[in-house]
């Protein structure tokens, strides 16, 4: 074993990310990773599948479920992702392509050469956009759920309600004063607490996609620019 | 204790967002990276131990037995003491040459101001009140119970003082 390899073994790559940290915890951590990946990425993968030539390969939900069952338990799957330097969403799309081809070839092997091969898409620009929109929607919805749960667990349900009514229902803080018996300035302060919980959840999810901490703001700017 | 089923419904609602709402929500996910409070939050957020805050309280001469929920009656310091403490922390922040010491001084500075609001109903700095309302809720997120609720309450009370 040369010195370079030895150094690599001494500093395991799998501790670089939240996913690496979770996998290091064993079965509990792996369950948490799988829950996170399925919660955030099922919808965008399904949207991608429906828009691509792979849609002819079968029922989308069955393909996605089969894909997760086939890949998520492989111990090397996330190690290889971390080594790739790709965003997790991109890595999953590539892996889904491989999975569909594998499955299709298996079907062909049994059915004979009369079945056509999976046709590659000539242009993936529209697919990339659909994937992006679906991923953002999924990420924000999951972050929304996580922040809501966090606020409610902390006894901050009014803070959460004010945040939702202001940022989602677009109600002015002044319009919330009577319902909560507070001033507009206090409504803004309470919304801020919930906004911090939401902000934390969004930033965690973006980091889990493979974005370095110092690049999260520019990633969010980029995400907004593509909407 | 909130009703669990009602809470679950609130968490599930808002299944779909339009692009405008998504943009607004993402906008509030941006972090103000250059402010001192951001550095303070980043510094303490990653600490796995919880005794760091006990040390802060000792430095501020806050007894561990203090009933924080009734701070109006139990405030251990006079307004003059808190004003002097705030000034000392400000100087310590300016003199500190190590990030950890800077963050400790800044946190104590914020806490001295919050204690003056909660204990004496006074805002003891000439700086912008709205800025401190937001600082308190940011710092509350990395502060252990019951001081997190104390800081959130100080932010709300500061709105009333304005």
């Amino acid at each position: 074993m040369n010195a370079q390899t030895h150094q690599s073994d001494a500093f395991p790559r799998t501790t670089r990310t939240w996913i690496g940290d979770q996998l290091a915890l064993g079965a509990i951590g792996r369950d948490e990773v799988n829950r996170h990946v399925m919660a955030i990425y099922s919808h965008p993968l399904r949207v991608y599948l429906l828009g691509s030539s792979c849609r002819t390969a079968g029922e989308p939900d069955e393909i996605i479920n089969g894909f997760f069952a086939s890949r998520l338990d492989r111990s090397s799957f996330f190690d290889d992702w971390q080594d790739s330097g790709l965003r997790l969403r991109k890595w999953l799309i590539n892996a889904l392509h491989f999975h569909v081809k594998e499955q299709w070839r298996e079907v062909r092997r049994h059915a004979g050469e009369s079945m056509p091969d999976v046709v590659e898409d000539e242009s993936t620009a529209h697919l990339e956009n659909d994937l992006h929109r679906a991923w953002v929607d999924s990420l924000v919805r999951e972050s929304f759920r996580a922040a809501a749960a966090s606020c409610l667990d902390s006894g901050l349900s009014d803070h959460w309600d004010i945040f939702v009514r202001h940022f989602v229902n677009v109600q002015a803080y002044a319009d919330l004063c009577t319902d909560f018996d507070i001033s507009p300035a206090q409504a803004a302060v309470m919304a801020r607490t919930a906004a911090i919980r939401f902000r934390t959840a969004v930033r965690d999810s973006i980091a889990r996609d493979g974005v370095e901490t110092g690049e999260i703001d520019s990633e969010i700017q980029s995400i907004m620019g593509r909407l | 204790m909130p009703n669990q089923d009602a809470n679950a419904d609130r968490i599930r609602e808002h299944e779909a967002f339009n692009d405008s709402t998504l943009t607004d929500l993402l906008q509030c996910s941006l972090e103000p990276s250059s402010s001192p409070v951001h550095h303070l939050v980043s510094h303490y957020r990653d600490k796995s131990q919880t005794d760091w805050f006990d040390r802060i309280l000792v430095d501020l001469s806050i007894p561990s037995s203090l009933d924080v929920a009734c701070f109006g009656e139990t405030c251990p310091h006079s307004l003059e003491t808190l004003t002097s403490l705030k000034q000392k922390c400000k100087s310590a922040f300016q003199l500190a040459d190590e990030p950890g010491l800077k963050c400790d001084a800044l946190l104590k500075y914020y806490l001295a101001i919050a204690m003056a609001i909660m204990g004496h109903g006074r805002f003891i700095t000439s700086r912008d009140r709205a800025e401190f309302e937001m600082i308190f809720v940011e710092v509350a997120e990395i502060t252990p119970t019951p001081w997190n609720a104390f800081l959130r309450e100080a932010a709300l009370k500061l709105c009333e003082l304005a």
Side-chain angles (χ1 to χ4, degrees), chain A residues 133 140-141 145 149 152 157 161 164 186 189 192-193 196-199 202-203 217 220-221 224 227, chain B residues 7 10-11 14-15 17 19 22-23 25-27 29-31 134 137-138 141 155-156 159-160:
Chain A
R133 179 63 177 74
V140 169
R141 272 190 291 117
R145 286 197 187 98
L152 298 174
S157 59
D161 287 344
V164 171
Q186 288 175 319
V189 165
R192 178 67 169 251
T193 291
I196 294 168
R197 304 278 170 112
F198 176 74
R199 181 181 77 197
V202 167
R203 298 176 75 86
D217 282 307
I220 292 172
Q221 297 280 11
M224 288 193 294
L227 281 175
Chain B
N7 282 351
R10 289 156 93 173
I11 293 168
H14 302 294
E15 288 291 318
F17 299 113
D19 281 358
L22 279 179
T23 302
L25 289 170
L26 288 168
Q27 186 74 43
S29 303
L30 293 168
E31 210 162 59
M134 295 309 170
V137 294
E138 290 280 348
E141 290 300 303
L156 292 176
C159 297
E160 291 175 344

Side-chain angles (χ1 to χ4, degrees), chain B residues 25-74:
Chain B
L25 289 170
L26 288 168
Q27 186 74 43
C28 73
S29 303
L30 293 168
E31 210 162 59
S33 57
S34 59
S35 66
V37 70
H38 168 79
H39 291 297
L40 182 147
V41 168
S42 299
H43 176 76
Y44 292 114
R45 187 168 45 200
D46 298 330
K47 286 199 180 296
S48 52
Q49 304 92 345
T50 55
D51 61 349
W52 63 270
F53 194 75
D54 295 337
R55 183 171 44 78
I56 295 289
L57 293 180
V58 168
D59 289 350
L60 290 170
S61 304
I62 306 289
S64 57
S65 58
L66 184 79
D67 185 355
V68 182
C70 304
F71 197 82
E73 294 86 57
T74 61

Side-chain angles (χ1 to χ4, degrees), chain B:
Chain B
M1 187 71 183
N3 178 289
Q4 292 299 316
D5 290 339
N7 282 351
D9 287 343
R10 289 156 93 173
I11 293 168
R12 273 197 297 272
E13 65 185 354
H14 302 294
E15 288 291 318
F17 299 113
N18 59 35
D19 281 358
S20 170
T21 304
L22 279 179
T23 302
D24 288 346
L25 289 170
L26 288 168
Q27 186 74 43
C28 73
S29 303
L30 293 168
E31 210 162 59
S33 57
S34 59
S35 66
V37 70
H38 168 79
H39 291 297
L40 182 147
V41 168
S42 299
H43 176 76
Y44 292 114
R45 187 168 45 200
D46 298 330
K47 286 199 180 296
S48 52
Q49 304 92 345
T50 55
D51 61 349
W52 63 270
F53 194 75
D54 295 337
R55 183 171 44 78
I56 295 289
L57 293 180
V58 168
D59 289 350
L60 290 170
S61 304
I62 306 289
S64 57
S65 58
L66 184 79
D67 185 355
V68 182
C70 304
F71 197 82
E73 294 86 57
T74 61
C75 179
H77 297 310
S78 68
L79 190 61
E80 291 71 27
T81 303
L82 288 171
T83 306
S84 165
L85 202 53
K86 181 209 74 169
Q87 279 307 123
K88 282 181 187 166
C89 295
K90 187 177 176 180
S91 301
F93 174 79
Q94 288 163 345
L95 292 171
D97 54 4
E98 194 262 311
L101 294 176
K102 267 199 181 303
C103 287
D104 284 358
L106 189 60
L107 179 56
K108 286 182 268 189
Y109 171 80
Y110 291 149
L111 284 169
I113 293 170
M115 284 192 282
I117 293 167
M118 294 296 282
H120 304 280
R122 296 284 300 276
F123 184 54
I124 56 171
T125 169
S126 58
R127 289 174 60 188
D128 182 48
R129 291 177 186 223
E131 179 193 351
F132 271 81
E133 291 160 12
M134 295 309 170
I135 283 172
F136 289 153
V137 294
E138 290 280 348
V139 177
E141 290 300 303
I142 49 97
T143 307
T145 304
W147 290 92
N148 47 9
F150 172 85
L151 284 167
R152 281 194 282 270
E153 197 58 40
L156 292 176
K157 191 165 181 181
L158 183 54
C159 297
E160 291 175 344
L161 295 179

Side-chain angles (χ1 to χ4, degrees), chain A residues 18-217:
Chain A
W18 174 84
I19 285 178
D21 291 343
Q22 291 297 313
L23 295 178
L25 296 175
I28 293 174
R30 180 170 287 280
D31 287 348
E32 184 61 20
V33 168
N34 292 352
R35 190 208 63 75
H36 169 74
V37 169
M38 287 190 275
I40 298 277
Y41 296 94
S42 291
H43 174 57
L45 288 178
R46 189 175 190 281
V47 166
Y48 187 88
L49 200 59
L50 286 168
S52 77
S53 56
C54 296
R55 66 183 173 275
T56 57
E59 175 61 35
D61 287 338
E62 281 181 21
I63 294 174
I64 302 290
N65 290 339
F67 166 66
F68 282 141
S70 135
R71 294 302 196 272
L72 296 186
D73 277 344
R74 289 186 188 177
S75 60
S76 62
F77 185 67
F78 291 108
D79 288 347
D80 291 342
W81 161 62
Q82 290 182 130
D83 284 347
S84 75
L86 293 173
R87 298 285 188 257
L88 182 55
R89 58 188 185 275
K90 182 69 179 169
W91 175 257
L92 289 169
I93 288 295
N94 291 348
L96 179 64
H97 267 289
F98 279 118
H99 173 75
V100 169
K101 282 185 178 178
E102 282 169 10
Q103 295 298 303
W104 192 253
R105 282 174 191 145
E106 188 68 16
V107 171
R108 281 186 85 203
R109 206 157 55 82
H110 291 294
E113 293 300 315
S114 59
M115 291 187 71
D117 203 350
V118 176
V119 179
E120 292 288 346
D121 289 295
E122 288 181 358
S123 168
T124 58
H126 71 288
L127 293 175
E128 297 283 342
N129 287 336
D130 290 349
L131 170 70
H132 177 78
R133 179 63 177 74
W135 174 69
V136 174
D137 187 61
S138 208
L139 180 144
V140 169
R141 272 190 291 117
E142 269 306 298
S143 301
F144 205 76
R145 286 197 187 98
S150 170
C151 285
L152 298 174
D153 284 351
S154 304
L156 302 170
S157 59
D158 282 354
H159 297 65
W160 180 252
D161 287 344
I162 291 168
F163 170 79
V164 171
R165 287 172 67 171
H166 181 72
F167 282 95
V168 180
N169 302 341
V170 203
Q171 289 182 268
Y173 289 129
D175 295 338
L176 306 175
C177 296
T178 308
D179 289 353
F180 293 91
D181 192 24
I182 51 175
S183 68
Q186 288 175 319
V189 165
M190 290 171 76
R192 178 67 169 251
T193 291
I196 294 168
R197 304 278 170 112
F198 176 74
R199 181 181 77 197
T200 302
V202 167
R203 298 176 75 86
D204 283 349
S205 289
I206 290 174
R208 290 171 192 185
D209 197 56
V211 179
E212 297 290 336
T213 305
E215 296 170 2
I216 290 176
D217 282 307

